[in-house]
Amino acid sequence: MASTGTMHLHRISGSAAAFIAVFALLNSASGEEQVPLILWTSAGISLPSQFPPTSGHIVSQQELVSYLEKALTVGPQNVLLFLQDKMSVEDFTMYGGAFGNKQDSAFPNLEAALGSSSAPLVLPAVSWPASNAVIGQLQDQLETSPLYMDPETLSQLRLNASSPALLVFSLPYSIGSDMMSPKEILSGNDEMIGQVLSIMKAQSVPYTAIYTALRPSREAAALSVEAAVGGGRALLQYRGGYRERERERERQRKLKQRAGVYAPVEFKEGDKTCILMWAKGLSVKILRNGRWEEHDLTPSTFGEAVSPKLHGSSCNKTKARLVLNYENVLGHRSFKLTFAMSQRHYTVSARRWFTLDTLELAYDNMKATFNGSRNIYAPAEYSYRCQSLSSFRWPLLVPHSPKDAANQWRVAIEDFQIQGFNVSGGEFSYASDCAGFFSPGIWMGLLTSLLMVLVLTYGLHMIMQLRTMDRFDDPKGPAISVPQNE
């Protein structure tokens, strides 16, 4: 598995796990946080030998770019990126079936894949910023946008060995979870890797696979040589502080996710920003064989290190077009989403308004057009915002005609905001919301209250009309005689 000065990983067990542990202890002395990166190719594909760094060396971002360039220049252009939330080299030593306990390993599919690869590459220590930007590096080298996939979606996708593709599979990770242990989560991730590789093998498409993480699951200094050989009391004290820091990081990460901190899509004409668009979720569906097939465009449009292709976009004082270009969407090699906006002066309101005239889907020389000008509008100085913009549930987007191809499509945008005119400082202006002041719920509450007031008023009126008798009959005395003429 391993030789002196190099580390070619054919199986992660036994002496391999111990060897990785040595690397972890040596690397931890630097105090810099890092994550491992494993690269391999499909069976039968040979790559030029690349020697991993020496013991204790942390691979920088520039060095990682060099490793990836050498692999992708000769290797397959279909890249499978298994991107785990968190991972450290200690995960392999703890859960990789060390000391010959292969049946206890959490990585059987990964071991099998590395064993069948002719030249796997293992980098035990890659600097955290470098691993965090690996999607952007692969995107620049392959000149294609990343596609966030799962095994079920991959089974429906037909890849071409001659054209590059960057398929990203997000894998979870958790330390101290109440529901699942880290080993169970890693075993589930390994099963997903096995499913993906089986699908690629069934389609006979060569691939280059990369397994890494966005950030380390453990701090580097937590297993430093000093802590390892020092007193147990000091080690326990340090681990307690580590847990506190880990909880704080997790809290900050959740706050950022809740706030939706990623930047909007920005189109510039020269140095001036003229179109801004942001959404929490963006997806499309197509009707095929009586069932709706969905594709999520959010990861390819928004997020850190994501640069959507905007060629075809334009803007001036009266017209604005934002064109989002994608690849391999629901089986279509080319796919475009075009937001066409215009602004004009309305004499009745004595001010200028902008409207989202059409939302157009262009795919493989076909078009589907949705009209939005009747429902999607705002003052020209404002941006437009809507919590839910869709074409099928309380639709604000309607097909252009009954025979238009848009009737076979569904568009759903969550927490949508757009501005095509009068953008200042690269930020959205005051938002005009699509929800009016009197929503259906408010109208129902008002009508119900009015009905209850009417019923109460009628009841009070009836009670006030009641009159008591002015004469009463005494059962012990003579009967009261009431003359008929009275």
Side-chain angles (χ1 to χ4, degrees), residues 211-223:
Y211 182 29
T212 186
L214 290 172
R215 58 191 182 125
S217 59
R218 294 167 178 80
E219 292 186 356
L223 290 176

Side-chain angles (χ1 to χ4, degrees), residues 345-352:
H345 183 269
Y346 291 85
T347 55
V348 175
S349 60
R351 68 181 306 169
R352 300 187 69 86

Side-chain angles (χ1 to χ4, degrees), residues 6-80:
T6 63
M7 185 177 181
H8 295 284
L9 185 62
H10 292 282
R11 63 180 187 277
I12 306 177
S13 61
S15 60
F19 194 31
I20 295 178
V22 173
F23 268 94
L25 292 174
L26 292 174
N27 288 330
S28 64
S30 64
E32 182 179 348
E33 295 180 332
Q34 60 267 330
V35 300
L37 184 143
I38 305 175
L39 183 147
W40 72 95
T41 57
S42 52
I45 303 296
S46 59
L47 293 177
S49 298
Q50 298 194 65
F51 294 98
T54 58
S55 300
H57 179 73
I58 298 177
V59 177
S60 64
Q61 184 168 351
Q62 188 62 34
E63 291 172 331
L64 180 59
V65 171
S66 177
Y67 279 116
L68 296 178
E69 284 182 350
K70 291 179 181 178
L72 297 179
T73 301
V74 181
Q77 298 291 299
N78 287 304
V79 177
L80 309 177

Side-chain angles (χ1 to χ4, degrees), residues 321 336 338 359-370 400 403-407 409:
R321 286 172 57 89
K336 294 182 180 180
T338 303
L359 175 60
E360 183 181 277
L361 283 67
Y363 53 97
D364 297 343
N365 298 323
M366 297 184 64
K367 292 183 180 180
T369 305
F370 294 93
H400 180 69
K403 297 182 179 180
D404 195 280
N407 292 278
W409 286 87

Side-chain angles (χ1 to χ4, degrees), residues 83-312:
L83 196 58
Q84 199 161 278
D85 290 342
K86 295 183 290 185
M87 182 169 60
S88 293
V89 73
E90 292 79 26
D91 292 320
F92 293 101
T93 63
M94 295 176 64
Y95 310 113
F99 307 108
N101 299 325
K102 291 189 62 177
Q103 70 279 3
D104 198 37
S105 174
F107 308 96
N109 294 297
L110 181 60
E111 293 178 19
L114 295 175
S116 62
S117 179
S118 60
L121 174 67
V122 174
L123 304 177
V126 178
S127 65
W128 180 7
S131 66
N132 207 6
V134 68
I135 293 183
Q137 298 172 12
L138 293 173
Q139 184 176 349
D140 293 340
Q141 294 182 21
L142 298 174
E143 296 183 352
T144 184
S145 299
L147 298 177
Y148 288 77
M149 309 285 289
D150 54 54
E152 182 180 355
T153 307
L154 178 62
S155 62
Q156 301 175 1
L157 184 65
R158 294 295 175 264
L159 298 175
N160 189 348
S162 60
S163 59
L166 176 55
L167 310 181
V168 182
F169 300 88
S170 299
L171 304 177
Y173 186 86
S174 176
I175 293 181
S177 174
D178 295 334
M179 301 299 295
M180 298 179 66
S181 65
K183 183 177 180 180
E184 291 174 333
I185 295 176
L186 292 173
S187 297
N189 294 345
D190 184 74
E191 291 179 4
M192 180 176 176
I193 293 175
Q195 294 176 11
V196 172
L197 300 184
S198 298
I199 294 173
M200 297 296 292
K201 183 177 180 180
Q203 296 185 7
S204 301
V205 177
Y207 60 85
T208 300
I210 300 174
Y211 182 29
T212 186
L214 290 172
R215 58 191 182 125
S217 59
R218 294 167 178 80
E219 292 186 356
L223 290 176
S224 64
V225 176
E226 181 181 356
V229 300
R233 182 175 181 180
L235 181 60
L236 289 175
Q237 289 176 348
Y238 181 84
R239 287 182 177 175
Y242 162 72
R243 292 192 186 97
E244 293 297 328
R245 286 190 292 272
E246 186 67 24
R247 292 193 191 100
E248 179 63 21
R249 286 184 177 180
E250 192 70 20
R251 188 182 70 84
Q252 293 295 336
R253 185 180 66 85
K254 290 181 178 180
L255 287 175
K256 288 183 179 181
Q257 288 180 347
R258 190 180 299 115
V261 295
Y262 53 77
V265 173
E266 181 180 13
F267 175 70
K268 293 184 177 182
E269 192 73 33
D271 296 333
K272 184 179 179 181
T273 301
C274 58
I275 302 178
L276 290 174
M277 195 271 283
W278 190 91
K280 186 177 180 180
L282 173 61
S283 63
V284 293
K285 296 181 180 179
I286 188 172
L287 182 62
R288 287 176 178 167
N289 300 323
R291 58 187 296 267
W292 290 98
E293 299 180 12
E294 183 178 6
H295 185 87
D296 188 8
L297 299 174
T298 310
S300 304
T301 312
F302 306 99
E304 297 181 2
V306 176
S307 300
K309 299 178 180 178
L310 304 180
H311 52 269

